Amino acid sequence: MRAKEACYVLSFHTTADAIAFEKKAGETGFPGRLIPLPRAISAGCGMSWKLTKKEAPEQMQELLDSFGIEYEEVHELVL
């Protein structure tokens, strides 16, 4: 069983936004991966982007905004 760790989870309004984010993240080297939306979050399209707090760049919010892709919210969870 994987040890739980503090992470950020980005929820998206639509699946298209989640897929576009995955593509942009791959192009720019933004850390993390696409996962099903955790049960603790009841919003969005059912897909989310997870990155650990260790992986998170210092200027994460600026990078997210520079992608030009709508996301719903950044959640802090332990998964």
Side-chain angles (χ1 to χ4, degrees):
M1 184 178 211
R2 211 182 286 188
K4 293 186 178 194
E5 58 187 332
C7 63
Y8 294 108
V9 176
L10 282 71
S11 56
F12 298 94
H13 293 286
T14 68
T15 302
D17 288 337
I19 300 299
F21 189 91
E22 179 181 40
K23 182 178 178 188
K24 186 70 171 180
E27 292 170 356
T28 61
F30 191 81
R33 62 190 172 102
L34 204 57
I35 64 167
L37 191 68
R39 293 179 195 220
I41 304 169
S42 60
C45 69
M47 298 182 83
S48 59
W49 187 262
K50 175 189 172 191
L51 67 154
T52 65
K53 287 195 173 187
K54 292 179 209 171
E55 294 174 317
E58 287 182 26
Q59 66 280 41
M60 185 173 86
Q61 192 62 51
E62 291 84 10
L63 284 170
L64 293 174
D65 293 340
S66 75
F67 282 7
I69 298 167
E70 256 189 70
Y71 59 92
E72 195 167 75
E73 193 174 342
V74 178
H75 307 268
E76 291 186 47
L77 299 173
V78 176
L79 297 176

